[in-house]
Amino acid sequence: MVDQRSIGVALLYLLLFMLLESTLEQQVQQRLSSRIEFTALFELRSSLGLRSRDWPRKVDPCTSWNGIRCENGSVTSINISGFRRTRVGKRNPQFAVDSLANFTRLVSFNASEFLLPGPIPDWFGQRLLTLQVLDLRSCNVSGVIPLSIGNLTNLTTLYLSDNRLTGQIPSTLGRLLSLLVLDLSKNSLTGSIPSSLVSLRNLTSLDISLNNLTGSIPPGVGSLLKLQILNLSSNRLTSSIPAQLGDLDSLVDLDLSSNGLSGSVPRDLRELRNLQTMDFGNNGLQGSLPVALFPSPSQLRIIVLRNNSFSGDLPEVLWSLPELNLLDISHNNFTGMLPNSTVNDNATAAVLNISQNKFYGGLTTVLRRFISTDLSGNYFEGRVPDYAHDNAFLSTNCLQSVSSQRTLTDCVSFYAERGLSFDNFGPPNSTEPPATESRRSNRRIIILAAVLGGAGLVVLLMLLLLVVLCFCKRSTRNHRGIDVGAVPARETSPSPVVEINFSSLGELFTYQQLLEATGDLNDANLIKHGHSGDLFKGILEGGVPVVVKRIDLQSIKKDAYLSELEFFSKVSHPRVVPLLGHCLEREHEKFLVYKYMPNGDLSSSLYRKKSSEDDSLQSLDWITRLKIATGAAESLSFLHHECTPPLVHRDVQASSILLDDKFEVRLGSLSEVVLQFFLCCMQVI
Ligand SMILES: *[C@@H]1O[C@H](CO)[C@@H](O)[C@H](O)[C@H]1NC(C)=O
Ligand SMILES: *[C@@H]1O[C@H](CO)[C@@H](O)[C@H](O)[C@H]1NC(C)=O
Ligand SMILES: *[C@@H]1O[C@H](CO)[C@@H](O)[C@H](O)[C@H]1NC(C)=O
Ligand SMILES: *[C@@H]1O[C@H](CO)[C@@H](O)[C@H](O)[C@H]1NC(C)=O
Ligand SMILES: *[C@@H]1O[C@H](CO)[C@@H](O)[C@H](O)[C@H]1NC(C)=O
Ligand SMILES: *[C@@H]1O[C@H](CO)[C@@H](O)[C@H](O)[C@H]1NC(C)=O
Ligand SMILES: *[C@@H]1O[C@H](CO)[C@@H](O)[C@H](O)[C@H]1NC(C)=O
Ligand SMILES: *[C@@H]1O[C@H](CO)[C@@H](O)[C@H](O)[C@H]1NC(C)=O
Ligand SMILES: *[C@@H]1O[C@H](CO)[C@@H](O)[C@H](O)[C@H]1NC(C)=O
Ligand SMILES: *[C@@H]1O[C@H](CO)[C@@H](O)[C@H](O)[C@H]1NC(C)=O
Ligand SMILES: *[C@@H]1O[C@H](CO)[C@@H](O)[C@H](O)[C@H]1NC(C)=O
Ligand SMILES: *[C@@H]1O[C@H](CO)[C@@H](O)[C@H](O)[C@H]1NC(C)=O
């Protein structure tokens, strides 16, 4: 309670104090004391047709009129900017401001966007000597700029832009030594830029753009050391860019665009370390950009060089300017490739227009920093990366899979002129070989595969040998184990003996024939005691060497040879020793006749001693070993994969790999075990 009441009292005192203060101030500062100025204000009010809403009667102008500021009872500032006229005032608007002459302390007159058709009165320069600010922007002022303006030496700010001023820029403006801002833009001024302007050493902004000025840029502009804005654009200035502009240390905006400037860009401009905007567009500038034109700690945001005749490469630093917002170098003769620069994370997203130049090569990651790119009308080739697709104009290039590209002839001749090879719009969707590159790599792959394959085969051979050796040792000890798997099959299928097509089993030999061929089964002709029977070498009547297998049904189950017959009745393969015939006439002995393999079996070939007398029986060379390994692999592959049903040769031994006269592998001695398994598979299927 107490607190609230004391706060309330304090607020009351505060309010009273503020009220007192403001009235005191008004009494000191305001109240128009000059009768002359009072009358002059009302004359101005009526000559311009101002509304009583802005400048009401019966109140003090200093305190109550919009846009009037007074000091010591005198009017110092008149601001009718943006005012609207009365209906009567609108009828015949005039630059009728005669009464301004009666304000002896007027510092600022601002009538921007208030229509004042007519010329600037000549007496301005004699009577408004105290004026510091004159703003007549967009007032529809016409006529010439009076010479007397040069008398207003206290002027700091002169805006005459966006009017219909004609004639020359009076050289007397060079006497306005206090000027900070001179804006004569958007008029119809003619003649040349007066060299007297060079005296305006305190000028920070000089804008005479959008006129009809001719002649050259006075080199002395370079002495306006406080200039931050220099806009001479859209005139008809000729000459080159004076190197002295490089002295404008404070310059932020430099716009010389849309003139008839020629020559090259002076390298002195690299001294413009504060420059943010450089616009030289639409001129006749030529040559290449000096490499050091853009200083590395650069503030540049906007670079416009479009529509000139620049040539040569872009300085690479241009791509990595940290503040860059717009780079427009379109319609020139710039050339070169996009750099592979990495994108600076801090770099601002920018707009790029390099259209209608002679850039070539592939699109690179440098495009990542631009949110919009116009690359049209160049000679870029290759694929368009993802990051370049959005907001990109790509037409009239040599790019792959993009519409509206140049013709093949255009592209080829452009690249040929520069001694470069053109990618011919890339491979037509991967079928054509991408030139020699991949053909070369194909060959490389083949060689590699051959080497690896060869090595692999050698390894396979080694493994085979290892297996053979192990198995030989094991089979003597462990022979039963191998048969075990086959036993149930044998028992559960006592005689499922399938019909055997004997016509596919080769010739039917008589017992007598075979006895003759083998010398009555002479032990001298015995090759070996095989698993399923004894093998004899023989010679048939016609002199054909054969191998005869005698199967003793008293020591070997009957099914065994039937299995083998069945196998041969179904299978014939170049990797299997051919069955030439059979002889089944005897009750307890059956005979199978095979083609003779002159080089014996693998194990004997491998361990054959090198003998100098007999060349043909030398130990196997590595090429032959490789060939044998391949053959063995092929024959096993045949049994496992091509044979239906598949066979698993669980009993591969070096002795069952036979070699013909060309050392081609023939699988022989398909042992009982193998055939049992084969039968088992047959039954399962
Ligand atoms: C205003 O009047 C005061 C006192 O008369 C004087 O000190 C001051 O300089 C005057 N200001 C101007 C701008 O004339
Ligand atoms: C001038 O007057 C207009 C309209 O009253 C006002 O918006 C503007 O701020 C004034 N400018 C100055 C410099 O007093
Ligand atoms: C004149 O008034 C306008 C506002 O109506 C203002 O924007 C402009 O800055 C003023 N001119 C000067 C020189 O202060
Ligand atoms: C304003 O000045 C002009 C010329 O100096 C003069 O003829 C005129 O009488 C003056 N107006 C007033 C109200 O004093
Ligand atoms: C120009 O301004 C200076 C100081 O600001 C002042 O002393 C001088 O009287 C002014 N000139 C005119 C003609 O008012
Ligand atoms: C103003 O300038 C004009 C022409 O430049 C000149 O004739 C006149 O004497 C000057 N008046 C003053 C008061 O300086
Ligand atoms: C130019 O500006 C400097 C500092 O801003 C000032 O001291 C000097 O008087 C100015 N020159 C003119 C001619 O106004
Ligand atoms: C410049 O002058 C030409 C004729 O010399 C005229 O056609 C053109 O309108 C003028 N431009 C301006 C902005 O006054
Ligand atoms: C580019 O150079 C060619 C000749 O080299 C010329 O014909 C063409 O006009 C130039 N283009 C531009 C925009 O300067
Ligand atoms: C950019 O890199 C690619 C591939 O590494 C290369 O072909 C191209 O010549 C490089 N471009 C430049 C301008 O260094
Ligand atoms: C990016 O900006 C950060 C902080 O603004 C600064 O520390 C870093 O050095 C900048 N990196 C580059 C590459 O400019
Ligand atoms: C090639 O690929 C593009 C798209 O990648 C496809 O539009 C065009 O039809 C393809 N051309 C041929 C001949 O397959």
Side-chain angles (χ1 to χ4, degrees):
M1 284 292 275
V2 176
D3 281 348
Q4 274 179 10
R5 204 175 61 199
S6 61
I7 287 170
V9 169
L11 272 175
L12 198 65
Y13 276 119
L14 197 64
L15 274 173
L16 279 171
F17 176 76
M18 283 166 63
L19 208 64
L20 205 65
E21 183 86 341
S22 70
T23 48
L24 275 175
E25 195 179 354
Q26 270 180 9
Q27 274 172 2
V28 173
Q29 292 283 329
Q30 305 295 345
R31 285 219 155 264
L32 189 56
S33 53
S34 163
R35 203 63 223 167
I36 299 172
E37 291 186 9
F38 190 82
T39 315
L41 274 178
F42 273 95
E43 280 176 2
L44 193 63
R45 182 179 181 268
S46 75
S47 70
L48 295 178
L50 301 182
R51 301 181 301 177
S52 53
R53 181 181 166 179
D54 292 318
W55 286 8
R57 290 173 191 281
K58 295 179 183 169
V59 293
D60 179 61
C62 286
T63 55
S64 306
W65 285 14
N66 283 338
I68 299 294
R69 290 185 62 204
C70 305
E71 222 169 293
N72 279 359
S74 277
V75 174
T76 57
S77 175
I78 297 176
N79 174 6
I80 56 169
S81 160
F83 277 20
R84 303 230 306 264
R85 291 180 204 260
T86 59
R87 246 190 304 135
V88 179
K90 268 180 200 157
R91 265 184 219 145
N92 189 19
Q94 295 285 323
F95 202 157
V97 290
D98 285 4
S99 33
L100 280 185
N102 300 54
F103 301 106
T104 51
R105 293 188 176 178
L106 190 64
V107 168
S108 170
F109 180 60
N110 186 352
S112 64
E113 293 180 42
F114 185 90
L115 286 192
L116 296 173
I120 299 172
D122 193 43
W123 55 261
F124 262 42
Q126 278 107 42
R127 305 299 300 274
L128 302 179
L129 295 177
T130 52
L131 213 54
Q132 291 170 18
V133 175
L134 178 59
D135 188 345
L136 299 177
R137 273 181 281 187
S138 310
C139 292
N140 205 17
V141 176
S142 58
V144 299
I145 302 172
L147 291 181
S148 63
I149 287 278
N151 290 354
L152 305 178
T153 52
N154 271 5
L155 268 185
T156 60
T157 306
L158 177 57
Y159 286 110
L160 299 177
S161 65
D162 194 18
N163 284 296
R164 295 184 293 134
L165 295 171
T166 54
Q168 305 205 347
I169 299 174
S171 62
T172 53
L173 288 188
R175 285 151 60 186
L176 304 177
L177 297 182
S178 302
L179 266 190
L180 302 174
V181 177
L182 176 58
D183 184 354
L184 308 177
S185 64
K186 295 193 202 173
N187 282 290
S188 297
L189 300 172
T190 54
S192 58
I193 301 172
S195 54
S196 61
L197 294 190
V198 165
S199 321
L200 307 177
R201 297 293 169 87
N202 275 358
L203 214 52
T204 60
S205 173
L206 174 59
D207 187 351
I208 51 180
S209 63
L210 289 155
N211 279 288
N212 245 340
L213 299 171
T214 53
S216 60
I217 302 172
V221 170
S223 59
L224 304 178
L225 295 181
K226 292 184 179 169
L227 266 191
Q228 291 170 12
I229 297 171
L230 176 59
N231 190 349
L232 309 180
S233 67
S234 300
N235 281 287
R236 292 190 284 148
L237 300 172
T238 48
S239 87
S240 54
I241 301 173
Q244 287 84 344
L245 293 191
D247 298 335
L248 299 177
D249 206 32
S250 311
L251 205 59
V252 174
D253 285 5
L254 175 58
D255 190 347
L256 306 179
S257 65
S258 301
N259 278 290
L261 300 176
S262 56
S264 58
V265 176
R267 59 205 324 269
D268 307 68
L269 297 194
R270 72 176 177 273
E271 303 297 336
L272 304 177
R273 294 188 176 274
N274 291 301
L275 204 61
Q276 293 180 7
T277 301
M278 174 191 280
D279 191 346
F280 296 160
N282 303 314
N283 278 292
L285 298 169
Q286 56 205 15
S288 56
L289 297 182
V291 173
L293 181 58
F294 307 99
S296 94
S298 172
Q299 316 284 317
L300 274 165
R301 293 162 193 272
I302 296 173
I303 299 173
V304 179
L305 305 175
R306 71 166 162 252
N307 245 335
N308 280 283
S309 294
F310 287 117
S311 56
D313 291 304
L314 280 187
E316 193 159 329
V317 66
L318 203 52
W319 298 102
S320 50
L321 297 176
E323 306 290 337
L324 193 67
N325 274 323
L326 170 66
L327 176 59
D328 184 351
I329 56 169
S330 58
H331 295 272
N332 278 287
N333 264 337
F334 282 116
T335 187
M337 295 168 74
L338 297 183
N340 284 327
S341 57
T342 50
V343 181
N344 181 357
D345 288 342
N346 291 7
T348 52
V351 173
L352 175 70
N353 187 349
I354 59 174
S355 63
Q356 310 301 332
N357 278 286
K358 291 179 175 168
F359 290 102
Y360 57 89
L363 304 183
T364 71
T365 50
V366 82
L367 298 176
R368 279 214 174 105
R369 77 171 292 190
F370 299 98
I371 52 169
S372 166
T373 51
D374 189 346
L375 311 177
S376 59
N378 283 287
Y379 291 85
F380 288 115
E381 66 170 350
R383 302 195 60 78
V384 181
D386 293 340
Y387 51 78
H389 255 306
D390 300 334
N391 304 317
F393 295 95
L394 302 169
S395 65
T396 327
N397 275 287
C398 304
L399 292 165
Q400 297 175 20
S401 312
V402 179
S403 58
S404 312
Q405 297 297 291
R406 291 181 190 274
T407 62
L408 183 62
T409 340
D410 267 9
C411 296
V412 167
S413 69
F414 176 89
Y415 277 82
E417 272 169 28
R418 286 156 182 76
L420 302 166
S421 66
F422 174 55
D423 69 1
N424 289 325
F425 296 105
N429 293 4
S430 83
T431 48
E432 287 275 288
T436 53
E437 180 77 22
S438 79
R439 227 179 273 155
R440 204 180 307 137
S441 67
N442 270 353
R443 207 180 305 145
R444 233 178 271 144
I445 285 171
I446 289 168
I447 291 170
L448 195 69
V451 168
L452 285 179
L457 285 169
V458 169
V459 169
L460 183 72
L461 188 72
M462 300 300 207
L463 280 176
L464 267 171
L465 280 174
L466 212 73
V467 166
V468 165
L469 290 175
C470 288
F471 198 79
C472 284
K473 278 178 198 156
R474 254 175 59 202
S475 60
T476 49
R477 270 180 282 129
N478 203 15
H479 194 259
R480 259 156 89 228
I482 297 169
D483 277 344
V484 165
V487 167
R490 213 182 287 168
E491 284 175 358
T492 50
S493 58
S495 55
V497 182
V498 214
E499 336 84 76
I500 297 169
N501 182 7
F502 286 97
S503 64
S504 61
L505 288 175
E507 257 182 272
L508 180 67
F509 291 103
T510 62
Y511 182 54
Q512 196 55 41
Q513 275 178 303
L514 295 185
L515 282 180
E516 280 169 19
T518 58
D520 297 324
L521 300 170
N522 193 328
D523 273 357
N525 288 329
L526 181 70
I527 297 172
K528 66 170 182 178
H529 298 287
H531 279 297
S532 50
D534 300 328
L535 298 172
F536 295 87
K537 188 182 172 186
I539 309 226
L540 292 179
E541 268 178 343
V544 180
V546 291
V547 172
V548 177
K549 178 155 83 172
R550 181 180 64 188
I551 301 161
D552 186 357
L553 292 186
Q554 288 166 328
S555 60
I556 291 171
K557 289 270 172 153
K558 192 184 168 207
D559 295 344
Y561 91 93
L562 286 176
S563 306
E564 191 164 0
L565 283 179
E566 192 191 343
F567 172 79
F568 277 109
S569 75
K570 288 182 163 33
V571 171
S572 110
H573 190 269
R575 287 292 175 205
V576 175
V577 176
L579 183 72
L580 297 179
H582 58 277
C583 168
L584 310 174
E585 65 196 27
R586 291 172 62 88
E587 195 185 347
H588 299 294
E589 273 183 323
K590 306 291 180 190
F591 296 89
L592 299 179
V593 182
Y594 303 93
K595 190 174 177 184
Y596 176 67
M597 294 289 122
N599 281 314
D601 64 23
L602 181 59
S603 56
S604 52
S605 295
L606 282 175
Y607 299 123
R608 188 173 295 147
K609 290 267 166 27
K610 188 167 185 170
S611 95
S612 50
E613 296 106 55
D614 190 353
D615 281 334
S616 67
L617 290 178
Q618 278 184 10
S619 180
L620 300 177
D621 60 67
W622 281 106
I623 298 288
T624 310
R625 283 165 196 248
L626 248 179
K627 194 171 164 184
I628 293 168
T630 315
E634 271 179 23
S635 53
L636 287 178
S637 165
F638 156 68
L639 289 179
H640 292 182
H641 301 294
E642 289 165 55
C643 193
T644 45
L647 281 175
V648 177
H649 199 310
R650 300 190 306 177
D651 194 18
V652 176
Q653 300 185 18
S655 59
S656 51
I657 294 176
L658 301 180
L659 304 167
D660 69 9
D661 48 350
K662 291 170 186 152
F663 285 96
E664 297 284 357
V665 166
R666 301 302 177 105
L667 220 46
S669 294
L670 292 173
S671 71
E672 181 194 346
V673 176
V674 177
L675 294 169
Q676 283 301 327
F677 190 73
F678 171 58
L679 271 183
C680 167
C681 289
M682 294 271 286
Q683 282 152 24
V684 168
I685 289 160

